[in-house]
Structure formats: structure tokens, C-alpha cells
Amino acid sequence: MTLTETPAPAGTPFTRRTRRDGPTSTGRAGAISVRQLVAALPGALRKLDPRQMWRNPVMLIVEVGAALTTLLAICEPFLGGPARSGGSAVPPTFTAAIAAWLWLTVVFANLAESVAEGRGKAQADSLRQTRTSTSATRLDSYDPATDPSAEQSPAHPVSSADLLPGDTVIVVAGELVPGDGDIVWGIASIDESAITGESAPVVRESGGDRSAVTGGTRVLSDRIVMRITSKPGETFVDKMIALVEGASRQKTPNELALNILLAGLSIVFVVVTLTLNPIAGYSGAAVSVPVLVALLVCLIPTTIGALLSAIGIAGMDRLVQHNVLALSGRAVEAAGDVTILLLDKTGTITYGNRQAREFTAVTGVDAAELMDAAARSSLGDPTPEGKSIVDLAHGLGFRHGDTEIGEVIPFTAQTRMSGLDQPDGSSIRKGAGSAVTKWVQERGSIDDAVLRELDDCVARISELGGTPLVVAAGRESGARRILGVVYLKDIVKAGLAERFAELRSMGIRTIMVTGDNPLTAKTIAAEAGVDDFLAEATPVEKLALIRREQEGGNLVAMTGDGTNDAPALAQADVGVAMNTGTSAAKEAGNMVDLDSDPTKLIDIVRIGKQLLITRGALTTFSIANDLAKYFAIIPAMFAGVFPGLAVLNVMQLHSPASAILSAIIFNAIIIVLLIPLALRGVRYRPGPASSILSRNLLIYGVGGVIAPFIGIKIVDLVVALIPGF
């Protein structure tokens, strides 16, 4: 016989709230204002220091060229004025104008990086407020066996700056957590809004994967005993501040490779430029140094050289806006190349709070008896599953009254069941079918018909994607018997099938990892729309799965929050640890999700792909727009000696001097115009690589050719209005 209650509408118990504001809110990604540019200007000027510029070889060449032309501009009045270039006269202010715009080119390049860095400072300032030195109550000695709550342990107040790893402290309601650590006793409501921007408090408790607490958060209720795990100045908040300010950002392998390519191209064009004047001299077309510098700056890929660092910083900043901290730039890029996504079932695929849906009694047992036993054994069960059993029973008429509960038997991984020993000598157990069956058989046997009926019921619930909870009862001195099964329903999150289909279109295969039996795992996997699943997964099996996929040439991402997830998080190319997880998990991963939302892996992959596509798109644009500069400068340099080159002046530029200056001005201005795109990122649309490449070449390749022709012509019309040009 089955007792069931009409369930609440789907999603009712699982109302989710979207965070609208908080310390990470930065407005529209990529949008910049004049105020931001002005605020970033001092930082851009400081970056003119050659000791900083050497990290960007392309822009270092531009800076050297700017310094050289500035020196020539100062010396020209004493050397008889500017020299003719390529057989054409140039205005007296030509060299000074070239020098000025070369300096602006370098400043604009630094401005892009400075703006990108500045976008994280608001987050860093908010975090820094949580790092204030606070007082802490440190225990002189602590024995968890004799005094777990530290009620009798001697303690004295100290500064949080004096706490060392291994120190044990007491934190009560209203106090700030003095440092990163793990709760060793107690349970409390914690306000983490200063870290996550989420106003809703969270519950942290000892003995599980939700025992980690972060320095700077505030205890709102109760009292906890915690053990410090961080050194002074090395707390999680300190790491976050360094990360969002970009102080410890490392260049990724792809970024280093692109830097080497750009440096190589720059060296080649330096050699070409240095040899150009001696060769041209044989034809009587000697070229002045300012014109050679202008040619070099227009030849080398200055646009991508100026924006490359900003693109990388902005990629990490976009993760910060999603409340994800990437502990390395390498992780962000790896996310863009991920081909395998491992997702834990509980909390990721499903909501994680399994809900009781029905009681099914075996033959010979009244359904009311099963309901009563399951409800009584769950009265002292603090888990969401236990509470849902009591709620379902109450809805069906169960009333506990004032009867004493008895001794609650907690669930353990070893026994795989929990229960209740009542004052009248009777016992109730509920848990995994094999564990409860073994408990019953310790005092006798089970009828074969009951076993078959039980197996059929367990199989039916498993096929539905639920979790069967077998209930049994007996007296201490008497036999024990199976009463029936409680159906716990795993609720699959809405919209996941569509998101997984989107990942599939990106070429990413999704694998659900769960400790459930294969039948349950198969049902949930089919409902959620994942490509594959790993059932009855242990930490060793998770690690082995990741290694197998990596050996096959795949990049793997996974999420986790427990100590048992640490080996797999460390092995994965992208390991996203939940902020609510253990310290071991956060240390093992290369990203930390402050909101502890495992489905955010999908957003992380999208941001990683967006970073790679943005870099590729702007590199394509940078190389393509050099073509127009060649058509502007080459004819201008030699048209006076070789009139036939005038046919290449397709833009009909006003004069050789205005053509060269217009190309340099456009080269500088385009950097500023592309800063918002570098910060916002190129929009990523799922599709095959060939489609993405075609779109990139069509928009940024063709666009990179057309835009400079238009831009240089417009600038030339303005420059032509200046006397002498």
C-alpha cells in the first residue's frame, strides 16, 4: 500500500534569488566613461617607465621611436630645420607632430591596461575593508574529546594579526571571523556579503564540506570553535585583493606565444626599416628618421600589442563580475579550450535537497505504521531529507505529540543508515536497502516474498530517478522486520537540458558524476540531458576518469566542494572549488566560485572562449588594418622620386606629410576606440570552429582593412586644414 501527498508545484521549495548588486557590480561590462579614463591616466603615465614597458616589446619600440623623434624635434631648429624626405618637403612642425602622436600612442596603450586594472579596484577596496585587524578569542588549550564546545577551556583576547595556522579560536554572534579556517565545533549563521555580495546569510557547521569560513565574514548567530588555517597576510581575502588588482597575474602560455610572435614581427620590421634608407639612398630618395620611425610604427602590430594585456586582465575581471576568482590566467584560457565537463549530480544537476514523495509499505504492514516509524526516526534528523519525511507525514495526518523521542542514531558513511532507539526498547532504522536488510538479518531472516517485493519497489523508485530509503523496525530482544520504502525524489534543475545542448553545440561533452547506483544515475542523466555519467563514483574513480580523458587529448573541467574532491580538482585543467567547501578543495582548484553555484561552470567556459575569440579577433584586425597604412605611407615616402607610385595613393591623401601624420594619428586613435571591445570581449556564439573562423575573418579581417581607409582619409581631411600640410 502506498501513501502519498500531492507535491507542491515544481520549484516551490527551491526559490532562487538573483543578486542584483554588491561589491562586484561594475555596470555594463566593457562600458567606459570619461571619468574612468581620467582616473586611469596617472597609472598610464607611470607605466611609461621603461622598466615596465620592456614587458611589452611592441610598445617599447614605439616608446623608443617617440623618444628619438622628440630629440630630433628639439634639435631641428639648431640644424637648419627638418630635412626633405623621399624627395618631398615637410612642414617645420612635422617632426614634433609625429613625436607627439607617438607618445600618445604609447599612453593610449598603457591607458587600455590601466583601465582594465582599474575595473577591479572597486572590488579590491570593498574586500580590503573586510581585512581590518580584529580581536579574537584564542584558546590556550583545546581538547575536543573532553570539552568540544570549549566552555571550560582557558582563553584570552589577541589581535587577528597574531593568529597562526593551527590556533583555535572562539567566535560568537556579532563578531567577525578573524581569519580563514575550519569549524571544529558548532553551527552558525554567517553573513558573507562582504565577500560574495549576497545578502542572504549562509549556514556553516563542523564535520562536513560546509565547515570552511573566511576571514572578514560575520557570525550572526550561535557560537563556533574554529581552527585557523591561514597565515597573517595570506588569507583568502588577501589573495582575492591581489588577484583582482592584477598584481599576481601571470601571462598565459598562449599570451606568451603571441607576445613572442609580435616581438619577432617587430624585430623583422626594425631590420627592414634600418636597411630601407641606405637602399633608397642609391636612387636619391633618402628618407628622414621621423618618417622611418612612422613607417616602423605603422608596420609593427601596435593595435594588438597595445590591447593584449588589457584583454587578459578584462577576462579575469569578467569572472570577478560573475563572483568567480581565477587563481591564474592560465585557468581562464584553459576554460576556453575545455572539451569535457564533469558535473556533480547533487547540487549541480539536482537541487541537492531530496524530498520525500510517498511511503510504500510491504505486504502485511499497514501504511500508517510505516509512516509513523519513518516520521519518528526523522524527528531528530537535521538533514533536509529527514525534515521532508516529517513534513510529508504531517501532511498525511501524523502527529507526534509530547512523546519522548529517544536516542537519535546519526547517519554515517560506514553504516549507511540512521534511526532511533526509543525509550520502550524498540528501534527504527532507515537507509540504503542493503544496509537495512543486513541490520534486520542480524536478528533473523527475511521472507523471500518480502525481499522480492522490496527489490521491485527499490527498482521502481530507482527507475524514476529517485532514492529509495528502506525502513525497518524491531525490539532489542526480538526480531526485526522490513516495513517498506520511502521514495525520495531528486529534483532536476529547470533549463539544464537546454544549457547542456548549448554546450554540445560548442563541442563540449558533459559527464555527470554521482555516488548513486547506475540505474538512478541513468535516469537522472537522461532527464537532465547530459551526454554520459559515472555512477557509484569514488575519489579514485573521479581522478582516473579525468586522467583517461586528458590522455585522450581532452581538456577537462570539474567542480567540487569536499576534501574528497581535492585530488580531482587538482588534476583537472579547470578545477572550480566552491567557496562553501573545505580549505583542501579551495587550495586544490584553480578557480573559486564565491556564490558556490556549481552550474556556473557553464558561464566560466563561455567567458574562457570569449577571451580567446577576443584576442584572435583583435589580432586579425591589427594585422589587417596595417594594409591601409602601407597604402598611405609607402607612396608618400617615395612619390617625389618615383612619380609612378602616385597610383597607389588610392585614398587621394592631401600630401606626403599629411598622409604620414594621418596614418600615425589613426594608429593612436584606434587603440582608444577598441578599448571598450577589449574590456567587454567579442560576443561568443556557439558553433563549429570553421564558422567562428569565417565570422572572425569577415568582420575583423575585412573590417580591419576597410576601417583604416575610411579613418585615415577623415583624419587627412582635418590635417589638410593645418597650414603647411
PDB file of all heavy atoms in Angstrom, residues 1 23 53 294 342 607 665 701:
ATOM      1  N   MET A   1       0.857  -1.200   0.000  1.00  0.00           N
ATOM      2  CA  MET A   1       0.000   0.000   0.000  1.00  0.00           C
ATOM      3  C   MET A   1       0.888   1.244   0.000  1.00  0.00           C
ATOM      4  O   MET A   1       1.917   1.281   0.659  1.00  0.00           O
ATOM      5  CB  MET A   1      -0.900  -0.009   1.253  1.00  0.00           C
ATOM      6  CG  MET A   1      -1.826   1.205   1.357  1.00  0.00           C
ATOM      7  SD  MET A   1      -2.866   1.128   2.839  1.00  0.00           S
ATOM      8  CE  MET A   1      -3.716   2.672   2.705  1.00  0.00           C
ATOM      9  N   PRO A  23      29.491  44.185  -4.047  1.00  0.00           N
ATOM     10  CA  PRO A  23      30.787  44.761  -4.314  1.00  0.00           C
ATOM     11  C   PRO A  23      31.337  44.451  -5.681  1.00  0.00           C
ATOM     12  O   PRO A  23      32.233  45.107  -6.150  1.00  0.00           O
ATOM     13  CB  PRO A  23      31.675  44.147  -3.229  1.00  0.00           C
ATOM     14  CG  PRO A  23      30.962  42.920  -2.801  1.00  0.00           C
ATOM     15  CD  PRO A  23      29.524  43.196  -2.978  1.00  0.00           C
ATOM     16  N   MET A  53      57.814  49.012 -19.395  1.00  0.00           N
ATOM     17  CA  MET A  53      57.496  48.869 -20.807  1.00  0.00           C
ATOM     18  C   MET A  53      58.191  47.677 -21.457  1.00  0.00           C
ATOM     19  O   MET A  53      57.708  47.159 -22.475  1.00  0.00           O
ATOM     20  CB  MET A  53      57.890  50.151 -21.565  1.00  0.00           C
ATOM     21  CG  MET A  53      57.034  51.365 -21.244  1.00  0.00           C
ATOM     22  SD  MET A  53      55.302  51.163 -21.719  1.00  0.00           S
ATOM     23  CE  MET A  53      55.448  50.982 -23.483  1.00  0.00           C
ATOM     24  N   ALA A 294      57.907  56.551 -38.265  1.00  0.00           N
ATOM     25  CA  ALA A 294      56.469  56.463 -38.539  1.00  0.00           C
ATOM     26  C   ALA A 294      56.146  55.194 -39.313  1.00  0.00           C
ATOM     27  O   ALA A 294      55.160  54.494 -39.027  1.00  0.00           O
ATOM     28  CB  ALA A 294      56.011  57.697 -39.318  1.00  0.00           C
ATOM     29  N   LEU A 342      32.860  17.860 -16.218  1.00  0.00           N
ATOM     30  CA  LEU A 342      32.395  16.936 -15.185  1.00  0.00           C
ATOM     31  C   LEU A 342      31.535  17.711 -14.194  1.00  0.00           C
ATOM     32  O   LEU A 342      31.979  18.716 -13.632  1.00  0.00           O
ATOM     33  CB  LEU A 342      33.581  16.309 -14.449  1.00  0.00           C
ATOM     34  CG  LEU A 342      34.066  14.947 -14.940  1.00  0.00           C
ATOM     35  CD1 LEU A 342      34.524  15.043 -16.379  1.00  0.00           C
ATOM     36  CD2 LEU A 342      35.189  14.418 -14.057  1.00  0.00           C
ATOM     37  N   ILE A 607      33.079  32.379 -20.805  1.00  0.00           N
ATOM     38  CA  ILE A 607      33.997  33.512 -20.640  1.00  0.00           C
ATOM     39  C   ILE A 607      35.383  33.158 -21.175  1.00  0.00           C
ATOM     40  O   ILE A 607      36.055  33.984 -21.800  1.00  0.00           O
ATOM     41  CB  ILE A 607      34.066  33.925 -19.153  1.00  0.00           C
ATOM     42  CG1 ILE A 607      32.734  34.558 -18.723  1.00  0.00           C
ATOM     43  CG2 ILE A 607      35.211  34.903 -18.908  1.00  0.00           C
ATOM     44  CD1 ILE A 607      32.618  34.808 -17.242  1.00  0.00           C
ATOM     45  N   ILE A 665      48.250  59.232 -36.591  1.00  0.00           N
ATOM     46  CA  ILE A 665      47.126  59.655 -35.732  1.00  0.00           C
ATOM     47  C   ILE A 665      46.077  58.551 -35.658  1.00  0.00           C
ATOM     48  O   ILE A 665      45.577  58.214 -34.578  1.00  0.00           O
ATOM     49  CB  ILE A 665      46.512  60.967 -36.265  1.00  0.00           C
ATOM     50  CG1 ILE A 665      47.508  62.118 -36.099  1.00  0.00           C
ATOM     51  CG2 ILE A 665      45.201  61.275 -35.539  1.00  0.00           C
ATOM     52  CD1 ILE A 665      47.041  63.420 -36.720  1.00  0.00           C
ATOM     53  N   GLY A 701      38.625  40.787 -40.123  1.00  0.00           N
ATOM     54  CA  GLY A 701      39.615  40.822 -41.180  1.00  0.00           C
ATOM     55  C   GLY A 701      39.254  41.858 -42.222  1.00  0.00           C
ATOM     56  O   GLY A 701      40.002  42.817 -42.467  1.00  0.00           O
TER      57      GLY A 701
END
